[in-house]
Amino acid sequence: MNFGRTPEEIENERKRLLIHAFSGLGSIFLFVFGSLSILDGRPFLGSVLFGCFGAVIVLSIVARKINNVQPVSLFLALLLFLLSSFLLLRGGASGTGVYWSYSVSMLMVLVVGPKTGGIYMGLYIIINSIFIFGNFSFTYQYSGLESSRIIATSITLYVLILASEWIRIGSYSAISRTSESHRNMASTDSLTGLLNRHGVKEALEAKKILQPAVLILLDIDNFKKINDSYGHDFGDSVLVKLSEIIMSHTKGGDIIARWGGEEYLLILFDTELDPSKVLVSKIKNDFKNYPFEWEGASISVTFSGGISTLNSNSSFTQSITLADKKLYSAKDSGRDRIVAYL
Ligand SMILES: Nc1nc2c(ncn2[C@@H]2O[C@H](COP(=O)(O)OP(=O)(O)OP(=O)(O)O)[C@@H](O)[C@H]2O)c(=O)[nH]1
């Protein structure tokens, strides 16, 4: 059952925002510096920057169209990897490309997160070290001191970014776990673990299109007397047992809740009235025949129930009112019985 957005969905939205922020700002930079490079007589550098500009625009459009932006993040990080390596190895405009390579490679980690970012960074350092120290004719000629400083400062920067990303993800996971457990506490009954009224409301909202369903209200008979005769703890064990029996007879997609003190609500989907009556009879027999132990004696407890249907023509409140009426006519006519609204 889905109550609100999951941490993965929130992280996906964060990445989408980052992609849009980068593509917005990055495309302006790429366009401006691409144009300047061409005007300054560096057509190769200019075309690479324009190529990246086009790729960033395409990735940003794709990120708008798809739900899971992970593939776009990976492509964008790869593009940043290549652009940063290019600026570093070719030197950009008169050796200034190295300054840009720091910020571009830093973005690469933010876009994919610490795990994949760590792999990208490791590869980035290894590959670029080989080219920088390898004295290849196509790379910018840094001095030995410059080369070692570039690699050392890059490693320092990456360790800092990775550490801050790990801390961010760690705190975020702790907050998500706490908020998830608060959400569960707000929507479930602590004694039985079933949904409470608030949980039912959320579950019905999550279903969006309400399919036809059968709505059943169950109420334990003479529960006050049970509490008074055998104690509150015994009463609690009866409540828990009934919830277990109900759960053992229902499906994952159904909504099962503790609706009040000794009252239970069942909303059964993908079924009809007759099979639902059969199902309630089974629950009723299992419960009635369950031997609750008290001071060596075996106690039998019963419940009464009211059934109504829920479909697009009837609102939830109307259906529950009808089931409630039927529940009370079951109580009035002697208890330990189920009455359905026809
Ligand atoms: N042990 C226990 N008792 C509860 C809990 N919540 C409500 N109750 C008790 O449930 C009893 C409900 O009593 P009534 O509403 O008079 O209903 P009843 O005695 O079952 O009578 P009928 O419904 O007419 O058969 C009250 O005594 C409540 O104190 C709970 O969590 N644990």
Side-chain angles (χ1 to χ4, degrees):
M1 205 164 289
N2 179 19
F3 296 109
R5 291 199 302 169
T6 63
E8 290 73 25
E9 286 168 339
I10 294 171
E11 187 59 17
N12 190 49
E13 278 317 298
R14 189 192 77 88
K15 279 188 184 159
R16 194 191 299 276
L17 258 178
L18 212 59
I19 291 169
H20 291 319
F22 169 73
S23 48
L25 200 65
S27 56
I28 295 172
F29 272 85
L30 288 165
F31 185 82
V32 170
F33 283 97
S35 308
L36 287 177
S37 300
I38 287 177
L39 292 175
D40 282 353
R42 293 187 190 85
F44 183 53
L45 177 60
S47 350
V48 169
L49 296 180
F50 270 117
C52 290
F53 167 77
V56 162
I57 300 285
V58 170
L59 286 175
S60 150
I61 294 169
V62 175
R64 268 176 221 282
K65 305 252 178 241
I66 59 177
N67 284 334
N68 182 357
V69 295
Q70 181 67 0
V72 177
S73 303
L74 291 174
F75 268 112
L76 184 56
L78 182 66
L79 182 71
L80 294 168
F81 182 105
L82 296 174
L83 176 61
S84 180
S85 302
F86 172 79
L87 292 169
L88 173 67
L89 296 177
R90 297 287 296 180
S94 315
T96 55
V98 62
Y99 304 122
W100 288 105
S101 75
Y102 288 119
S103 48
V104 174
S105 56
M106 192 179 85
L107 265 171
M108 174 177 83
V109 177
L110 296 181
V111 163
V112 283
K115 270 194 206 144
T116 319
I119 298 171
Y120 270 107
M121 277 184 174
L123 289 173
Y124 181 85
I125 295 286
I126 293 167
I127 293 170
N128 287 309
S129 297
I130 293 171
F131 283 114
I132 282 191
F133 289 112
N135 269 331
F136 290 93
S137 57
F138 58 86
T139 60
Y140 186 80
Q141 295 304 300
Y142 297 103
S143 71
L145 183 67
E146 280 173 329
S147 302
S148 55
R149 290 293 187 272
I150 289 169
I151 297 303
T153 47
S154 300
I155 292 173
T156 312
L157 176 72
Y158 296 163
V159 168
L160 291 175
I161 299 167
L162 282 181
S164 81
E165 274 294 275
W166 278 117
I167 293 168
R168 184 188 69 78
I169 300 263
S171 330
Y172 173 68
S173 308
I175 293 168
S176 316
R177 278 196 302 273
T178 312
S179 93
E180 184 67 25
S181 92
H182 282 171
R183 270 210 308 246
N184 281 342
M185 271 158 58
S187 56
T188 50
D189 166 51
S190 59
L191 179 68
T192 59
L194 298 181
L195 295 178
N196 57 21
R197 282 181 183 238
H198 179 65
V200 171
K201 200 172 144 250
E202 284 191 318
L204 285 171
E205 276 167 13
K207 286 221 172 251
K208 289 184 184 104
I209 304 161
L210 203 57
Q211 314 143 8
V214 175
L215 190 148
I216 303 161
L217 264 183
L218 304 179
D219 186 290
I220 300 175
D221 295 326
N222 301 313
F223 197 58
K224 184 174 177 336
K225 217 158 114 192
I226 291 167
N227 269 333
D228 293 346
S229 312
Y230 312 113
H232 211 268
D233 286 347
F234 182 90
D236 281 357
S237 71
V238 171
L239 291 169
V240 172
K241 189 74 223 169
L242 178 53
S243 70
E244 287 171 1
I245 293 174
I246 294 172
M247 289 306 281
S248 71
H249 283 283
T250 46
K251 296 179 293 193
D254 297 332
I255 295 176
I256 310 298
R258 186 170 169 204
W259 193 240
E262 82 291 21
E263 208 170 50
Y264 293 77
L265 171 67
L266 287 66
I267 305 179
L268 311 178
F269 296 94
D270 297 322
T271 188
E272 304 282 331
L273 194 58
D274 284 341
S276 302
K277 284 185 193 166
V278 174
L279 183 116
V280 183
S281 298
K282 284 184 190 160
I283 296 174
K284 193 168 160 308
N285 287 338
D286 279 6
F287 185 60
K288 188 176 177 176
N289 294 326
Y290 187 82
F292 288 99
E293 295 279 328
W294 193 75
E295 293 189 348
S298 179
I299 315 262
S300 165
V301 187
T302 60
F303 64 69
S304 304
I307 306 184
S308 70
T309 50
L310 178 64
N311 53 52
S312 45
N313 300 324
S314 61
S315 77
F316 173 69
T317 320
Q318 279 171 336
S319 298
I320 206 130
T321 309
L322 285 177
D324 207 35
K325 272 189 188 152
K326 293 299 154 191
L327 167 63
Y328 279 92
S329 63
K331 292 267 180 189
D332 283 346
S333 50
R335 296 184 173 80
D336 188 18
R337 66 199 64 206
I338 309 293
V339 179
Y341 176 80
L342 298 171

